[in-house]
């Protein structure tokens, strides 16, 4: 196995030097606490790095990433992050960010994969089934996949609203929900949905 990971540690040391050069107190400040205004829920895909595509730095965004950017009701990990972000950090915006070219969505559309991943993607397959008529009318599989990426984002916004902690924050006007899609082909984020509108 190549020792490619060593590059990461070297990169880290250089990154620290660069950060300190422009902002000597950055780590002292960050070590005292965080007050991010955003919760970002995105896909694990290595091409969709949350901070990088939004040009944000440490302390600016609380981030949850999982395969196909899902908010599954039984996923205690995501629900805990959402709860902490709203209750303790008091984030003002929750962004669900899907991306075109999502392997998880492709697999769900193709009918499934194997084992535990298949179980996880079953939730996306269900969204495809629920929107079967619309997807069937589309001309080809690539177009269907792009549409399912968008439908998945919308469904995850609905799942968010099913969490009582989100419902309460929405009702109190303390949070906005955003559905975005990232396009690998041009690097741009496209807003799909917003609540309250
Ligand atoms: Co993906």
């Amino acid at each position: 196995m190549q020792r490619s990971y060593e590059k990461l540690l070297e990169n880290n040391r250089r990154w620290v030097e660069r950060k300190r050069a422009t902002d000597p107190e950055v780590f002292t400040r960050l070590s005292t606490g965080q007050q991010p205004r955003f919760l970002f829920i995105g896909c694990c895909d290595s091409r969709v790095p949350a901070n990088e595509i939004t040009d944000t730095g440490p302390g600016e965004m609380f981030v949850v990433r999982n395969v196909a950017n899902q908010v599954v009701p039984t996923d205690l990990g995501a629900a805990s992050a959402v709860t902490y972000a709203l209750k303790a950090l008091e984030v003002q915006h929750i962004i669900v960010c899907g991306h075109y070219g999502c392997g998880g969505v492709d697999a769900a559309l193709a009918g499934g994969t194997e084992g535990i991943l298949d179980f996880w993607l079953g939730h996306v397959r269900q969204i495809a089934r629920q929107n079967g008529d619309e997807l069937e009318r589309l001309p080809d599989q690539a177009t269907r996949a792009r549409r399912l990426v968008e439908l998945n984002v919308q469904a995850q916004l609905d799942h968010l609203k099913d969490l009582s902690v989100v419902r309460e924050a929405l009702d109190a006007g303390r949070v906005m929900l955003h559905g975005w899609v990232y396009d690998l082909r041009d690097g741009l984020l496209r807003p799909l949905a917003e609540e309250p509108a």
Side-chain angles (χ1 to χ4, degrees), residues 43 45 99 102-103:
C43 183
D45 194 303
H99 68 104
C102 184

Side-chain angles (χ1 to χ4, degrees), residues 62-128:
F62 205 62
V63 176
V64 175
R65 291 173 71 180
N66 61 46
V67 175
N69 42 270
Q70 298 187 69
V71 182
V72 172
T74 51
D75 176 7
L76 296 180
S80 299
V82 170
T83 301
Y84 187 75
L86 282 175
K87 292 275 190 189
L89 301 175
E90 299 178 344
V91 299
Q92 295 160 4
H93 300 274
I94 302 178
I95 298 147
V96 174
C97 182
H99 68 104
Y100 296 126
C102 184
V105 168
D106 284 347
L109 190 61
T113 170
E114 286 184 342
I116 199 159
L117 187 55
D118 187 61
F119 179 76
W120 179 250
L121 291 175
H123 305 289
V124 183
R125 241 188 353 259
Q126 195 181 333
I127 296 163

